[in-house]
């Protein structure tokens, strides 16, 4: 793992123009990273996050929408990473009011500081000032280099939709068993096992993502979500999805792959991640990564292509 800022910057410098060209909207910010001094400030912020990520004792990074870092229960269970300061006031407030002992729930085995400071906050959920796509990539690469797993967390409204999908899929399984003449005892036993069946969980997540396209694609801005960028990064560097009980997590490859910023940046460029007209290709790539089926998750409007191709 790159320890020094000089070494980190040497990794970034060759792809600075790629980041600027493929994320032109950041150049419209004030201050703009088109200014070299501002870009260096953003690189330093990315480096601080990269270093702090390696100190995450949970060895776990939580991925999800912006609502995840507002969800108090998740924050108290998994902690927050804020190498340059916590981004959201609501998130910071949750830490000021946290109760003793909550860190030990679920996966958390160590206590984090009562008041987060710039070099102490190394949890599993990102809430970071000076955010840029570069900083986000530093989180993913830093977590991969330190051998971490990744989990997808759902926002509160997504949890309700996920439960609805679970109920609908369970009803479909009951109908199938009735048609196949299962006895009541056999059906009850089989339904009880389904929650632990990974193929069933895979179907559940496929249904959920097809009903929740906004998790991967922002229809208002017509561009991919940050989560899509993160998942593609995991796919570039050999991670594999694991469908567990109501959980989607990603485990590292057996043979470690050293992730590099240039591979990440050029991987996204090859998919035309910066081009909204490449939506179908991006969604197909994500579908193939998650479900080994390019047609698994289809954005509304792209069905026509699949239908014509099949014909």
């Amino acid at each position: 793992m790159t320890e020094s800022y000089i070494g980190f910057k040497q990794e970034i410098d060759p792809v600075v123009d790629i980041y600027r060209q493929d994320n032109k909207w950041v150049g419209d910010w004030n201050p703009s990273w088109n200014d070299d001094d501002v870009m260096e400030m953003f690189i330093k912020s990315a480096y601080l996050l990269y270093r702090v990520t390696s100190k995450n004792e949970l060895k776990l990074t939580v991925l999800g929408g912006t609502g995840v870092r507002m969800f108090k229960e998740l924050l108290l269970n998994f902690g927050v990473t804020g190498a340059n300061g916590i981004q959201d006031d609501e998130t910071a407030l949750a830490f000021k009011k946290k109760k003793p002992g909550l860190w030990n729930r679920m996966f958390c085995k160590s206590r984090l500081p009562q008041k987060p400071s710039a070099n102490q906050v190394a949890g599993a959920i990102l809430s970071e000032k000076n955010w840029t796509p570069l900083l986000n990539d530093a989180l993913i690469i830093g977590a991969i280099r330190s051998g971490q797993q990744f989990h997808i967390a759902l926002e509160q409204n997504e949890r309700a939709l996920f439960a609805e999908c679970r109920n609908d899929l369970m009803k479909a399984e009951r109908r199938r068993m009735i048609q196949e003449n299962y006895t009541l005892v056999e059906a009850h036993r089989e339904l009880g096992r389904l929650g632990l069946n990974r193929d069933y969980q895979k179907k559940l997540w496929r249904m959920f993502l097809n009903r929740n396209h906004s998790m991967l694609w922002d229809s208002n801005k017509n561009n991919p979500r940050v989560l899509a960028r993160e998942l593609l990064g995991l796919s570039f560097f050999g991670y594999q999805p694991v469908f567990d009980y109501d959980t989607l997590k990603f485990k590292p490859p057996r043979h470690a792959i050293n992730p590099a910023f240039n591979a990440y940046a050029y991987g996204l460029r090859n998919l035309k991640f910066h081009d909204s007209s490449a939506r179908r290709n991006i969604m197909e790539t994500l579908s193939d990564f998650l479900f080994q089926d390019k047609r698994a998750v289809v954005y509304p409007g792209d069905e026509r292509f699949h239908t014509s191709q099949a014909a």
Side-chain angles (χ1 to χ4, degrees):
M1 187 166 188
T2 302
E3 294 293 334
S4 70
Y5 173 68
I6 293 175
F8 182 84
K9 191 171 184 300
Q10 286 174 342
E11 282 196 63
I12 302 298
D13 282 344
V15 288
V16 161
D17 287 342
I18 300 297
Y19 275 97
R20 283 172 168 160
Q21 293 164 10
D22 293 356
N23 303 277
K24 289 182 178 179
W25 44 278
V26 183
D28 295 332
W29 290 358
N30 185 17
S32 168
W33 71 0
N34 292 334
D35 180 286
D36 288 342
D37 290 338
V38 174
M39 174 57 88
E40 183 160 0
M41 180 266 290
F42 281 131
I43 293 174
K44 287 179 178 177
S45 295
Y47 171 68
L48 288 175
L49 176 64
Y50 172 85
R51 287 294 307 276
V52 166
T53 299
S54 68
K55 300 175 183 178
N56 177 357
E57 294 183 7
L58 297 178
K59 294 297 179 184
L60 168 71
T61 292
V62 175
L63 308 177
T66 56
V68 169
R69 62 177 187 258
M70 308 293 183
F71 195 173
K72 187 175 180 180
E73 182 180 352
L74 285 175
L75 293 172
L76 294 178
N77 284 330
F78 295 106
V80 68
T81 294
N84 302 281
I86 293 178
Q87 179 179 8
D88 309 286
D89 292 341
E90 187 175 342
T91 303
L93 185 62
F95 281 89
K96 290 179 181 178
K97 293 184 176 181
K98 89 177 175 63
K99 297 178 181 179
L102 286 177
W103 290 113
N104 293 319
R105 293 172 57 188
M106 296 177 68
F107 296 100
C108 216
K109 297 179 181 179
S110 62
R111 289 182 58 108
L112 298 182
Q114 289 281 346
K115 294 183 179 180
S117 64
N119 59 358
Q120 291 178 314
V121 187
I125 298 173
L126 180 67
S127 178
E128 185 68 65
K129 290 183 177 179
N130 295 336
W131 185 94
T132 62
L134 170 60
L135 183 141
N136 213 94
D137 294 354
L139 169 75
I140 299 301
I141 288 178
I144 292 175
R145 287 182 178 175
S146 58
Q148 296 182 27
Q149 282 196 0
F150 294 82
H151 285 219
I152 287 186
L154 301 182
E155 301 178 12
Q156 287 179 299
N157 63 315
E158 291 174 332
R159 289 186 169 200
L161 177 59
F162 192 86
E164 179 184 298
C165 291
R166 188 196 303 113
N167 290 337
D168 289 348
L169 187 56
M170 192 65 74
K171 289 176 183 177
E173 291 293 335
R174 286 195 187 98
R175 287 195 297 270
R176 176 184 65 80
M177 292 174 191
I178 291 171
Q179 292 172 355
E180 295 179 5
N181 296 318
Y182 277 62
T183 67
L184 287 176
V185 173
E186 289 172 338
H188 181 74
R189 185 185 302 120
E190 184 65 18
L191 289 170
R193 291 173 178 169
L194 282 179
L196 302 177
N197 183 291
R198 289 189 171 175
D199 287 337
Y200 170 82
Q201 291 295 329
K202 198 171 183 178
K203 289 180 183 178
L204 177 54
W205 277 92
R206 179 171 178 162
M207 178 185 289
F208 170 71
L209 288 174
N210 273 297
R211 294 186 185 182
N212 188 34
H213 296 102
S214 62
M215 194 172 193
L216 299 174
W217 193 272
D218 187 333
S219 58
N220 293 324
K221 297 179 180 178
N222 195 28
N223 58 28
R225 295 279 191 184
V226 172
L227 177 61
R229 183 187 191 98
E230 294 167 339
L231 294 179
L232 288 171
L234 298 186
S235 73
F236 296 158
F237 302 124
Y239 272 67
Q240 293 296 320
V242 177
F243 297 88
D244 211 337
Y245 180 71
D246 288 2
T247 302
L248 176 50
K249 56 189 178 182
F250 301 86
K251 64 178 183 180
R254 289 184 179 179
H255 303 289
I257 298 175
N258 185 30
F261 283 92
N262 62 350
Y264 204 159
Y266 278 104
L268 293 172
R269 169 168 278 199
N270 290 339
L271 286 172
K272 296 185 178 180
F273 191 79
H274 57 286
D275 186 345
S276 59
S277 68
R279 181 183 65 205
R280 178 178 55 80
N281 188 35
I282 292 168
M283 295 298 288
E284 284 183 353
T285 303
L286 289 168
S287 293
D288 193 34
F289 171 53
L290 295 172
F291 303 104
Q292 298 75 56
D293 179 357
K294 289 184 176 182
R295 303 182 186 185
V297 181
V298 181
Y299 193 86
D302 292 342
E303 302 96 334
R304 295 188 301 274
F305 173 83
H306 292 302
T307 301
S308 63
Q309 189 180 62

